[in-house]
Amino acid sequence: MSQQSTNNEIRAGEVEVRQHVILPRNGTATVYRVEQRLTYPGDNSNEMVLLTLVPVGGGTPQVERRWTEALIELATDNQVAEAVEAAHRTRIAAGLRELANQIELEKMRFRSWCGVNVSATLPDGEVSRLAEVLGLELAERGTGMKEITWALRASDAGEGIGVSMYGKPADEPEPTPVDEA
């Protein structure tokens, strides 16, 4: 078992493959997965460790050299989950930007009365949060699902972009019992 400090740090020489660490890069704390670890002799009989790290969500692998006794921060499960979600959002947004670029570059033509529709499935509870944030009404979709529809850049002819997002709504809070004393 490794020795950890109270703020989730571990000696670099104790880091294991498949663990997640946090390193500051370009002014931002980035979560990396440890893919390889190699201990080798340093100077003055101090050992060093070489870590091959891949950013969560993909990207260029990084190499990190540390003294085995130097502390390195381990990522919590929540930090890893947040990094995975951020990478997912980045890929979705990049795909939508690519679509927009192709629409302009290839001069795609859209002449329907309903415009373009985009549909997205959301994780449990997210449809409720977005409805509140965007000021949209939740509509029944059946089988316990709710839907919100967001009209963007609509014209008088009805063309524009309709974004439909659906998912399981957030659980309603339990009613607080009233003390009738």
Side-chain angles (χ1 to χ4, degrees):
M1 182 97 179
S2 59
Q3 297 175 334
Q4 290 180 300
S5 71
T6 56
N7 58 356
N8 215 31
E9 290 181 326
I10 187 173
R11 288 186 177 95
E14 298 174 353
V15 173
E16 297 175 12
V17 171
R18 293 191 197 99
Q19 282 186 308
H20 291 89
V21 298
I22 298 179
L23 297 175
R25 291 285 190 257
N26 302 325
T28 308
T30 303
V31 178
Y32 294 89
R33 181 178 166 169
V34 179
E35 294 295 329
Q36 295 176 329
R37 179 181 151 258
L38 173 68
T39 303
Y40 64 97
D43 60 356
N44 300 328
S45 72
N46 292 320
E47 285 191 326
M48 294 198 75
V49 65
L50 178 79
L51 303 172
T52 303
L53 309 171
V54 176
V56 169
T60 305
Q62 312 263 336
V63 175
E64 186 75 18
R65 292 181 173 93
R66 297 277 177 112
W67 296 108
T68 56
E69 296 300 311
L71 294 177
I72 193 166
E73 186 178 357
L74 289 177
T76 65
D77 290 344
N78 284 343
Q79 289 168 319
V80 172
E82 287 173 15
V84 168
E85 277 298 317
H88 185 67
R89 278 191 305 274
T90 299
R91 282 191 299 275
I92 297 281
L96 291 171
R97 279 190 288 281
E98 186 177 333
L99 173 61
N101 289 339
Q102 287 300 313
I103 288 170
E104 290 178 338
L105 180 68
E106 300 301 330
K107 297 180 174 90
M108 292 181 192
R109 296 171 39 164
F110 300 97
R111 297 285 187 249
S112 73
W113 61 271
C114 62
V116 175
N117 294 301
V118 177
S119 179
T121 305
L122 304 173
D124 291 355
E126 185 68 359
V127 71
S128 301
R129 187 185 77 81
L130 287 177
E132 185 175 323
V133 169
L134 299 172
L136 301 171
E137 293 287 325
L138 278 171
E140 289 292 331
R141 186 172 172 89
T143 65
M145 302 289 267
K146 298 274 187 169
E147 178 179 27
I148 56 175
T149 302
W150 190 20
L152 301 170
R153 310 242 179 217
S155 70
D156 291 339
E159 293 178 343
I161 299 174
V163 181
S164 297
M165 296 175 270
Y166 59 94
K168 193 174 175 186
D171 293 330
E172 293 293 324
E174 293 286 327
T176 308
V178 177
D179 186 18
E180 298 181 21

